[in-house]
Amino acid sequence: MRLTVLGSGTAVPHPRRAASSHWLEAAGGTLLLDCSGPAVHRMAEEGCDWANLDAVWVSHFHLDHVGGLAPFLFGTRHAPQTRERRKPLVVCGPRGTGKLLRRFDEAGGYKLFEQPFPVEVREVAPRAEFELLPGLAAETFSTPHTSESLAVRLTERSGTSLVYTSDTGFTEALAGFARAADLFLMECSFFRSKPIKTHLELEEAMRLARLSGARRVMLSHLYPEWDGADIAAEAKRLWDGETIEARDGLRLVVGE
Ligand SMILES: [Zn+2]
Ligand SMILES: [Zn+2]
């Protein structure tokens, strides 16, 4: 799997960190992990084949994760690049994903579901096990963030695995869910003294890293409080493994 960081930031406007989105190329197709507002154009900026995107994973309904979903479908509806496309686009997320999209659609009469290709909405429950792309197994985990928020574990036939927490508060159970993952893509909103329970700070993220036995960790969803900090070095003081700071535009091969 190949990962490209489209947005390593949050809802707070930032000059170098777009709101949360990550592009994943797996053997069975391409997958967008959350679709923030900026993600729509960041895909093009990074040279990602957005017109042939196979699936979008929606972790939860906060706008820094779904704000680009309706605009993206508005774009594919009118783009010359998708005029010949016939294969479906799967939008997969928690219960309520379909309702959210329909409400966006109805709010402005955008006809988001009238595309040259089918848009298939798939809603999944916590602890669901299913195939998200051909040969890419997915498993979900309810996170302490919003009532619907889900982490996802993706495993290729080769055994390579990636766990994406998206936004979450601290729970040790998350380490079990991410056991021995090749890449544990974790939110780490705050450095220390987090102002709210429903996000992670570094000490908690590193505790999860240690407990999970993950091969590598990437920290993303970074609030401006992180500006100027050497994130990898700070992480090293708490966990001996390899921690990578997500930066917009960073590319990584998972499982290497
Ligand atoms: Zn967020
Ligand atoms: Zn959130």
Side-chain angles (χ1 to χ4, degrees):
M1 284 186 272
R2 290 169 183 275
L3 182 79
T4 301
V5 180
L6 299 177
S8 58
T10 65
V12 180
H14 192 281
R16 293 177 311 280
R17 296 193 188 279
S20 198
S21 189
H22 299 76
W23 174 271
L24 192 68
E25 290 163 41
T30 50
L31 173 68
L32 193 60
L33 296 171
D34 284 330
C35 185
S36 62
V40 178
H41 300 281
R42 288 283 299 125
M43 283 189 271
E45 194 174 17
E46 294 297 338
C48 302
D49 186 11
W50 56 267
N52 288 301
L53 174 65
D54 291 293
V56 181
W57 167 252
V58 175
S59 67
H60 67 298
F61 305 149
H62 280 158
L63 281 168
D64 54 323
H65 299 256
V66 297
L69 203 46
F72 179 58
L73 292 174
F74 196 61
T76 57
R77 191 177 140 70
H78 296 287
Q81 291 95 325
T82 47
R83 210 164 283 153
E84 307 300 322
R85 176 178 170 153
R86 297 294 177 265
K87 68 169 175 173
L89 172 68
V90 173
V91 179
C92 184
R95 286 189 201 105
T97 300
K99 186 172 157 191
L100 182 82
L101 254 181
R102 283 193 301 277
R103 285 194 166 174
F104 258 124
D105 191 34
E106 286 158 11
Y110 300 118
K111 301 181 181 172
L112 298 178
F113 292 91
E114 292 177 29
Q115 302 273 349
F117 52 89
V119 177
E120 293 175 6
V121 176
R122 251 191 249 166
E123 298 189 350
V124 293
R127 287 289 173 194
E129 290 182 29
F130 58 102
E131 200 172 53
L132 189 39
L133 292 173
L136 186 70
E139 192 184 340
T140 59
F141 176 86
S142 173
T143 51
H145 181 66
T146 59
S147 61
E148 80 281 2
S149 59
L150 295 174
V152 67
R153 183 179 181 110
L154 303 167
T155 309
E156 286 199 298
R157 283 201 188 106
S158 62
T160 303
S161 59
L162 181 155
V163 172
Y164 172 55
T165 64
S166 189
D167 295 3
T168 184
F170 181 80
T171 168
E172 258 189 31
L174 202 44
F177 182 69
R179 70 208 166 278
D182 289 291
L183 185 69
F184 193 2
L185 173 53
M186 218 186 308
E187 82 123 285
C188 193
S189 293
F190 301 103
F191 187 176
R192 53 171 81 93
S193 311
K194 64 177 185 180
I196 34 175
K197 283 188 76 161
T198 52
H199 284 295
L200 295 176
E201 61 182 46
L202 185 64
E203 192 275 327
E204 295 170 322
M206 290 300 101
R207 205 184 324 159
L208 291 175
R210 192 166 53 242
L211 292 170
S212 70
R215 279 194 56 210
R216 287 199 285 185
V217 164
M218 181 184 278
L219 300 181
S220 194
H221 201 270
L222 304 163
Y223 270 92
E225 278 84 338
W226 275 111
D227 287 1
D230 184 340
I231 297 179
E234 294 293 345
K236 196 78 179 171
R237 293 149 65 113
L238 300 166
W239 179 55
D240 205 30
E242 184 186 352
T243 302
I244 301 156
E245 172 192 341
R247 291 172 190 258
D248 293 17
L250 182 75
R251 286 158 202 265
L252 185 81
V253 177
V254 182
E256 248 188 12

